[in-house]
Amino acid sequence: MPLVTLQDIFLSYGQPPLIDHINLVIEPGERVCLIGRNGAGKSTLLKILTGQVIADDGVLKRAAGVKIAQLEQSVPHDAVGSVFDVIAEGLGAEGKLAARYHHLILELSSNPTDKVMRELEECQAELERVDGWDINQRVEAIVTKMDLNPDVDISSLSGGYKRRVLLARALVCKPDLLLLDEPTNHLDIDAIKWVEQFLLKWEGALLFISHDRRFMDNLATRFIEIDRGKIAEFNCNYSTYIQRKKEMLEIEDKHNALFDKRLSQEEVWIRQGIKARRTRNEGRVRALESMRREYADRRKQQGTAKMDIQQAQKSGKIVAEAENINFAFNDGEQVVKSFSTLIQRGDKVGLIGRNGVGKTTLLKLLLGQLEPQTGTVKTGTNLDIAYFDQYRSALDESKTVQDNVSGGRDMLEIGGKSRHVISYLQDFLFSPDRCRQPVSALSGGERNRLLLAKLFTRPSNILVLDEPTNDLDIDTLDLLEELLIDYKGTILLVSHDRAFLNNVVTSTLVFEGDAVINQYIGGYDDWLRQRKVETASSEKAATKTQEKPATSAKKRSYKVQRELDMLPAEIERLETEIGEISEQMNQADFYQSERSVTEAVEKNLSDLQQQLNHCYQRWEELETQ
């Protein structure tokens, strides 16, 4: 039986309608990803499901006793108190009682007075009266399951742990349907992977909004797209959805072109001379009027942003050279330890690490904005740096959209030509009315687009991008990705979007713990492969070191030892080939090839995976000899 059913739901805040007579069914246990452009109505649809927004028309049906919980897009400002308190809030009044009991237990251990004892007895009696012991155990169970400290104040936690606490608050009531609005925003990669793995094991139904392509592909069992008020369903993975969506738009364009041609012909006919008007068919006239109404009601697809990066003259060949640098904060916390690197013109370098580990600090060190305590950093010549700040501090909340970009001027110099600021901003999908509104009225995605618009008004040969993908819709994200790939200058990129890193960067600087930063060739997946081989090699070396010589131990033969020594390189080769084939198969046009071609590639991939499994199994066998 469906958990939730939407029938002919309609909602309009003016013309055109935001949600235009849609139907949707969510079944138990499925994981549905809701996708669409910024402003398409995704968050509004979630609010209709929770009852926060009432539709103008249509029917919302919920199964008897169904529980719906929601994790909102941003951390609410009223989230205060201990972790236990915040999670218990998800259980209403009984949750508050459980939180009071928890605090009294803590207070009794440090202050065992008669007054505290009496209050604890009263609280116990109240819990027994409302059968609340199960509630207390439920909060404690989810605190343990999500590896949280119940007595820490939520305000002291990182963004990732705050999101984890709020997810626990949503789950503690054991919902049948969980609604998530951009759950990966502002999370580092470790936190994103944790949320991903947790939700894969969770048995309830899930409806989530996300622009993180890897997260969507790993989690969703079905995609629902909202576009111009209508929804379309795709029972496939993300790559297949992209291909099917492209085909749908091509068919729509052909249909519209044929319709427009026929309408034009009918308009010519109706305007013919007196003889034609005397003999015209009234049914044909009525059909023309219907066509006119259909054309007037047609909603065109929202345009794609037309961003372009202005490139300055080339920088010097060396952009930054760090040699054995160290940096620690005033409290003694080490951020960078004995780090050396050489960044040259045209390099596209990704920085990977958990939130707060020091990625922004490393950027400032490499750009000469901070001095290392020891070691040296040499910056290159003719550096024109454009900086994208994840906190959007370059935007003035009180000023209008256009004034933030133009500084009060009407005209901008873009690519050697003069352009009106509103015309320029329309390339970034800002309407004239939106251009005149203050930045404070913008959504998160619009603010990121505005910051990109401001960034690209000036020529650069170095782009420093600190989390540029947050809140961007998929189409804008894809365009930004293409621009960065084609950019001739140098890029320093901080991102937690694994697909974005894979597609853009040529090398990564990874914070591996204890202020150690290592450099790897390639993107995120390349780092994982190289790290896996290095870890296996180091574990092998450690095992050999720890082995104690024994007179009775049998020495490996030369042939066995040689095979063992060659296995790491073979494993790395196989993993590289598997990665390349997987990337080939993920291309949108792969399955458009002849079936015989795709079957051969799939078989090759299967054979390589079997070889890799055999290598690992053989390694274990040889290690035990």
Side-chain angles (χ1 to χ4, degrees), residues 397 434 437-443 446-447:
E397 296 269 327
R434 204 63 168 160
Q437 291 184 325
V439 169
S440 58
L442 300 183
S443 68
E446 288 175 317
R447 290 179 190 220

Side-chain angles (χ1 to χ4, degrees), residues 481-542:
E481 200 171 85
E482 290 175 13
L483 289 173
L484 296 181
I485 291 170
D486 294 337
Y487 184 65
K488 304 302 181 187
T490 306
I491 295 174
L492 300 176
L493 170 66
V494 176
S495 180
H496 302 306
D497 186 320
R498 293 161 287 179
F500 194 75
L501 286 166
N502 278 339
N503 294 338
V504 172
V505 305
T506 56
S507 65
T508 54
L509 297 175
V510 186
F511 288 74
E512 310 250 36
D514 195 27
V516 173
I517 305 167
N518 290 321
Q519 188 158 11
Y520 298 87
I521 299 299
Y524 173 79
D525 286 342
D526 297 301
W527 160 56
L528 289 184
R529 279 193 292 271
Q530 293 170 71
R531 184 184 65 170
K532 188 175 182 181
V533 172
E534 284 187 5
T535 301
S537 299
S538 61
E539 287 176 353
K540 170 177 170 287

Side-chain angles (χ1 to χ4, degrees), residues 320 325-327 335-336 358 360-373 377 379:
I325 63 172
N326 290 272
F327 185 84
V335 179
V336 178
T360 303
T361 301
L362 179 60
L363 286 176
K364 291 180 178 179
L365 287 166
L366 293 175
L367 296 173
Q369 298 170 1
L370 273 179
E371 289 287 334
Q373 270 108 26
V377 175
T379 54

Side-chain angles (χ1 to χ4, degrees), residues 133-166:
W133 291 112
D134 175 62
I135 291 171
N136 194 68
Q137 291 169 2
R138 201 186 300 178
V139 176
E140 290 176 349
I142 203 159
V143 163
T144 301
K145 189 173 186 178
M146 302 186 94
D147 193 24
L148 295 167
N149 183 338
D151 303 315
V152 171
D153 195 288
I154 190 172
S155 62
S156 67
L157 297 178
S158 67
Y161 270 93
K162 284 179 181 176
R163 302 280 292 175
R164 192 182 292 196
V165 172
L166 295 174

